[in-house]
Amino acid sequence: MSRAQRAKEWFLRTALSYLGTPYIWGGDDPSGFDCSGFAIECLKSVGVLKESDDYTANGLLSLLHDRVTEKPVGGALLFFLNEDGKAVHVTVCLDEWFQIGASNGGSAVRSEREAWRANAYVKIRPINFRPGRMRVVTLFD
């Protein structure tokens, strides 16, 4: 197994290990993640980003813009865009059908209690669950 394949495997394992973690606005650690905090923590776990790196979803897309591709593949990042083309949400692509990410929150969700009330946590959903335009960024292929 190549180093890239091994990194991809650990990246996906890390993402799955956070299943059920609460969504917390601005969260960037296992006590609670927002969407970009979740993606960044997974990227840091395999050395794609440095420990000190911190980005919004749009900032992360800007950083990785040269890796945009057409088809969702396991280990990619999925960026969901608003009508202006700005990335407003990011998740980890598990395969061509499913994604995992910190979702259903927003700026009002700032505690674990609010997260559970809003049904906002790291969860698996079909890729087409969120409507709108999407950009796929490959990391390991």
Side-chain angles (χ1 to χ4, degrees), residues 61-68:
L61 178 57
S62 294
L63 177 72
L64 301 170
H65 73 277
D66 60 334
R67 297 180 181 198
V68 171

Side-chain angles (χ1 to χ4, degrees), residues 8 11-12 71-78 91-100 127 136-137:
K8 176 180 169 178
F11 176 71
L12 292 172
K71 285 178 75 172
V73 294
L77 292 177
L78 305 175
T91 65
V92 172
C93 186
L94 294 173
D95 58 26
E96 61 192 273
W97 299 285
F98 293 96
Q99 62 182 317
I100 183 171
I127 287 174
V136 180
V137 171

Side-chain angles (χ1 to χ4, degrees), residues 105-133:
S107 61
V109 179
R110 297 183 181 262
S111 71
E112 185 174 344
R113 183 176 175 190
E114 291 168 343
W116 294 119
R117 200 174 280 156
N119 191 27
Y121 54 91
V122 175
K123 57 181 108 176
I124 296 171
R125 292 287 186 255
I127 287 174
N128 63 1
F129 181 77
R130 186 178 182 109
R133 296 186 344 205

